[in-house]
């Protein structure tokens, strides 16, 4: 057999020096030159063979890889000629028959090749065990969240009957004062239970990632004052003031999930009123620019109430945590309100926190980006246009307000838009008409955007390359990764920014795409 060893006999002196150096290495190491292999003592422990038993590359592959045909040796020589990857992982069979996982790091120069070998069998096993444990934990969390969600649904049905019939009974004129008092107790208790069940359901949905933010225009001042008004009676009964201070210059028109914003505010203001017996609760709203120039709104709810011990400050945002054991006896509650607030603020990519001094009061604050209500005016004022020739686009979106907004903006720049309102309709529509791209909402009734995308991609042919852009308020990295895995090409965040939407449409509708999104053109 002829071999193409690249060099002649090793220089005996160099080989000897190398042998002395690698002998000192704590890891297994091998020097290979011209098919001759010399290994250090640590390598004897890695392989279980004495050095004399592995004198050549043939012996190495035969003994450790059971390859007597020379196939592996040929592959190795091939790779060697093309340049080795620096790190290679593989399994070897030790002399005692045990299979071990080894990571080889190789360096190759004129004196031959040095391989340093690390036995990574245990590390690999540990990694696999960690991944399995993580999967088990996630599955456990999922089934717990599903259980909670089912349970809360089941509890709500009889509760609705209790509350409804208690209300009917209360309208009866013939009740005695004792009965009326008892009825009042039933009403209070069932309403409290109802709100706990709602909290549990909400929290489990948030834990599951099943909450999708809506996005619609609203007035910020009205939202804050309407929310505070819900607590005005309670504050008045306790003799505490309730004040709203909103920055003068604050832009009132916003586009976001007003319902969820109200829920956070209501939770924080009702806590402030609940835990304050003298003085007042102040709600402050201000606006700043975020690091990328985005409109960052800060809400701060300050009270002059009981305060929170320093040791409990870090924990109050965790589920079922109350500042101390007496809270539940004295004030009721479950410790879910702040956990829900935190999840919601995080879903909005915002921040939440608290400062508090025991005995003098607390300030709960959160800051979220609340886009200025955008409308077609921006497109007209800025003279935005698209740069992709005639474009035919399919909009898949169930919310009417969003359908109207997207259509108006896109049609105003000449894009031809068809609208369907769920994923199943989208799958049909793309097979009937030829579109340049699809804007796909993620959570929709009947069929969501992720599933629709998977089905469209599975149709193959031209559908493999049809640009599909996710349209969603949920743009956490894990959610965006989900969209990409399903086959979506890009995503647009809600609330919709017309400038960004037109840039994305231009880019994905263009016949030839630059590697990075093309700049938006300005009409002069
Ligand atoms: P709940 O109010 O149902 O107990 P939360 O999650 O809303 O649950 O609050 C958790 C805990 O944080 C409360 O039990 C209370 O100990 C503390 N806390 C919340 N808001 C305030 C406040 N404004 N002043 C003092 N303590 C508060």
């Amino acid at each position: 057999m002829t071999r193409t060893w690249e060099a002649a006999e090793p220089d005996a002196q160099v080989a000897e020096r190398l042998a002395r150096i690698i002998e000192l290495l704590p890891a297994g190491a091998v020097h290979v030159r011209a098919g001759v292999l010399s290994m250090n003592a640590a390598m004897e422990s890695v392989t279980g063979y004495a050095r004399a038993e592995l004198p050549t590359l043939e012996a190495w592959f035969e003994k450790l890889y059971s390859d007597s045909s020379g196939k592996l040796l040929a592959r190795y020589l091939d790779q060697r000629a093309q340049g080795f990857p620096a790190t290679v992982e593989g399994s070897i069979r030790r002399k005692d028959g045990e299979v071990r996982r080894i990571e080889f790091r190789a360096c190759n120069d004129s004196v031959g090749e040095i391989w340093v070998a690390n036995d990574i069998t245990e590390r690999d096993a540990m990694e696999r065990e960690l991944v399995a444990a993580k999967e088990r934990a996630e599955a456990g969390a999922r089934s717990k969240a599903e259980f909670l969600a089912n349970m809360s649904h089941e509890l709500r049905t009889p509760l609705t009957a209790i509350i409804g019939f208690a209300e009917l009974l209360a309208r009866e004129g013939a009740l005695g004062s004792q009965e009326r008092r008892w009825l009042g107790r039933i009403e209070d208790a069932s309403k409290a239970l109802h709100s706990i069940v709602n909290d549990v359901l909400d929290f489990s949905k948030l834990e599951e990632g099943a909450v999708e933010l809506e996005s619609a225009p609203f007035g910020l001042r009205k939202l804050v004052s309407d929310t505070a008004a819900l607590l005005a009676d309670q504050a008045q009964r306790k003799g505490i003031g309730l004040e709203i201070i909103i920055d003068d210059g604050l832009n009132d028109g916003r586009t976001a999930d007003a319902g969820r914003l109200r829920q956070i505010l209501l939770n924080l203001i009702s806590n402030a009123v609940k835990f304050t017996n003298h003085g007042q609760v102040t709600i402050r709203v201000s606006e700043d620019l975020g690091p990328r120039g985005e409109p960052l709104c800060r809400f701060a709810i300050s009270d002059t109430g009981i305060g929170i011990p320093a040791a409990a400050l870090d924990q109050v945002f965790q589920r079922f945590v109350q500042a101390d054991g007496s809270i539940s006896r004295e004030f009721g509650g479950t410790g879910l309100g702040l956990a829900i607030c935190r999840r919601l603020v995080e879903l909005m990519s915002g921040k939440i926190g608290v400062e508090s001094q025991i005995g003098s009061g607390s300030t709960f604050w959160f800051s979220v980006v609340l886009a200025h209500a955008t409308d077609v005016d921006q497109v007209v004022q800025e003279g935005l246009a698209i740069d992709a020739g005639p474009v035919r686009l399919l909009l898949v979106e169930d919310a009417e307000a969003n359908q109207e907004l997207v259509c108006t903006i896109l049609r105003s720049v000449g894009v031809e838009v068809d609208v369907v309102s769920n994923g199943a309709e989208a799958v049909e529509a793309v097979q009937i008409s030829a579109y340049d791209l699809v804007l796909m909402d993620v959570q929709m009734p009947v069929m969501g955007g992720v599933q629709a995308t998977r089905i469209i991609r599975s149709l193959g042919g031209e559908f493999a390359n049809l640009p599909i852009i996710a349209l969603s308020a949920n743009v956490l990295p894990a959610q965006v990764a989900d969209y990409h895995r399903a086959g979506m090409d890009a995503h647009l965040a809600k609330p919709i920014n017309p400038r960004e939407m037109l840039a994305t449409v231009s880019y994905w509708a263009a016949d030839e795409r630059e590697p990075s999104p093309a700049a938006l053109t300005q009409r002069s």
Side-chain angles (χ1 to χ4, degrees):
M1 214 195 313
T2 52
R3 288 267 148 71
T4 48
W5 306 122
E6 75 187 17
E9 285 305 297
D11 176 312
Q13 244 183 341
V14 173
E16 201 187 305
R17 264 172 47 206
L18 274 174
R20 271 208 310 276
I21 293 169
I22 67 172
E23 190 63 28
L24 296 175
L25 290 178
V30 179
H31 174 220
V32 195
R33 177 142 167 163
V36 177
L37 198 129
S38 64
M39 55 192 228
N40 68 355
M43 200 68 195
E44 291 187 319
S45 329
V46 174
T47 61
Y49 286 99
R51 320 169 195 224
E53 293 174 280
L54 296 172
T56 61
L57 275 172
E58 276 105 337
W60 174 271
F61 284 113
E62 212 176 299
K63 293 221 163 72
L64 300 180
Y65 297 89
S66 319
D67 178 58
S68 51
S69 66
K71 210 162 89 195
L72 283 178
L73 178 58
R75 203 166 81 201
Y76 159 83
L77 291 172
D78 234 27
Q79 280 183 351
R80 182 172 213 258
Q82 289 165 28
F84 263 115
T87 306
V88 180
E89 275 184 29
S91 300
I92 62 162
R93 184 176 295 280
R94 282 167 50 92
K95 189 172 183 182
D96 57 14
E98 198 184 331
V99 174
R100 307 288 297 180
R101 194 92 193 131
I102 309 290
E103 179 194 74
F104 290 101
R105 294 183 183 200
C107 78
N108 187 5
D109 74 17
S110 58
V111 294
E113 241 165 64
I114 306 273
W115 309 339
V116 177
N118 266 313
D119 190 325
I120 53 167
T121 313
E122 274 77 27
R123 189 194 80 186
D124 261 21
M126 214 181 312
E127 263 174 25
R128 273 197 305 278
E129 176 49 35
L130 272 177
V131 170
K134 178 171 164 276
E135 277 165 9
R136 278 198 302 276
E138 281 170 357
R142 259 198 313 278
S143 65
K144 200 171 74 195
E146 271 165 28
F147 169 76
L148 281 176
N150 289 339
M151 216 33 212
S152 321
H153 271 304
E154 295 304 316
L155 287 170
R156 268 203 308 188
T157 316
L159 258 175
T160 315
I162 297 173
I163 294 171
F165 284 110
E167 268 170 15
L168 275 184
L169 210 54
R171 282 191 223 144
E172 282 285 317
L175 291 181
S177 64
Q178 171 92 319
E179 285 86 351
R180 211 160 268 294
R181 227 182 23 256
W182 288 344
L183 194 58
R185 299 236 174 215
I186 296 180
E187 279 185 322
D188 286 350
S190 51
K191 279 183 186 148
L193 193 52
H194 197 217
S195 93
I196 293 172
V197 168
N198 281 346
D199 274 359
V200 171
L201 181 63
D202 227 15
F203 185 73
S204 60
K205 271 201 198 150
L206 280 161
E207 285 269 275
E208 262 182 284
V211 171
E212 159 127 354
L213 294 175
E214 309 261 310
S215 163
F218 65 93
L220 188 54
R221 284 186 169 76
K222 183 165 179 340
L223 181 130
V224 176
S225 61
D226 285 357
T227 312
L230 295 174
L231 276 315
D233 259 5
Q234 197 182 333
Q236 206 180 10
R237 275 202 303 277
K238 294 183 84 174
I240 55 176
L242 189 57
E243 192 186 3
I244 301 174
I245 304 173
I246 298 185
D247 267 7
D248 279 344
L250 190 112
N251 197 311
D252 195 47
R254 303 284 166 161
T255 305
D257 193 327
R260 292 299 186 177
L261 188 61
R262 183 182 302 112
Q263 185 181 1
I264 302 169
L265 278 170
L266 190 61
N267 251 318
L268 298 182
I269 304 171
S270 83
N271 272 353
V273 172
K274 178 161 103 174
F275 293 109
T276 303
N277 296 323
H278 313 281
Q280 87 157 29
V281 169
T282 310
I283 304 150
R284 284 193 181 77
V285 188
S286 55
E287 182 175 16
D288 233 337
L289 286 185
R292 274 166 277 112
E294 64 276 25
L296 200 57
C297 279
R298 184 182 153 99
F299 299 81
I301 294 92
S302 308
D303 63 53
T304 51
I306 61 169
I308 301 171
L313 271 183
D314 281 349
Q315 288 147 32
V316 288
F317 290 102
Q318 287 169 21
R319 63 190 171 162
F320 302 123
V321 168
Q322 299 190 308
D324 69 60
S326 66
I327 293 283
S328 154
R329 268 197 317 280
E330 214 175 309
F331 299 95
T334 53
L336 268 182
L338 289 178
I340 291 175
C341 289
R342 193 185 83 184
R343 301 276 151 140
L344 285 174
V345 169
E346 282 171 357
L347 197 59
M348 295 176 173
S349 307
K351 290 205 173 86
I352 188 165
V354 56
E355 282 120 35
S356 185
Q357 197 92 54
I358 195 98
S360 39
S362 316
T363 295
F364 279 84
W365 60 266
F366 66 99
S367 54
V368 286
V369 172
L370 294 181
H372 294 167
T374 51
D375 53 21
V376 195
D377 288 353
Q378 188 190 344
V379 179
V380 176
Q381 273 166 19
E382 295 190 28
L384 301 178
I386 62 156
D387 185 20
V391 176
R392 185 157 187 213
L393 177 147
L394 178 68
L395 170 65
V396 192
E397 165 69 67
D398 61 320
E400 268 176 35
N402 284 334
Q403 287 178 354
E404 195 182 323
L405 182 70
V406 174
C407 283
T408 320
I409 294 171
L410 289 176
R411 285 176 185 152
S412 76
V413 297
V415 174
E416 195 184 326
V417 189
D418 288 346
V419 183
V420 292
S421 49
N422 65 55
E425 289 174 7
V427 172
E428 253 176 53
V430 295
Q431 295 180 83
I432 296 168
S433 309
Y435 292 103
D436 298 303
L437 82 161
V438 179
L439 285 187
M440 181 81 84
D441 184 19
V442 172
Q443 268 195 6
M444 289 175 287
V446 185
M447 184 191 287
V450 167
Q451 195 189 348
T453 305
R454 276 201 202 102
I455 297 176
I456 294 172
R457 292 292 183 234
S458 72
L459 297 171
E462 81 235 51
F463 298 107
N465 299 321
L466 172 64
I468 303 180
I469 319 294
L471 202 57
S472 172
N474 296 345
V475 286
L476 295 180
Q479 292 162 324
V480 171
D482 260 0
Y483 309 154
H484 283 285
R485 259 198 303 279
M488 289 173 166
D489 296 292
H491 70 274
L492 273 172
K494 285 179 184 171
I496 291 155
N497 171 334
R499 169 176 274 277
E500 200 186 329
M501 177 167 73
L502 295 185
T504 307
V505 168
S506 286
Y507 173 69
W508 287 100
D511 288 335
E512 283 178 21
R513 248 167 259 137
E514 298 287 322
S516 67
L520 191 64
T521 57
Q522 295 276 143
R523 247 190 247 135
S524 53

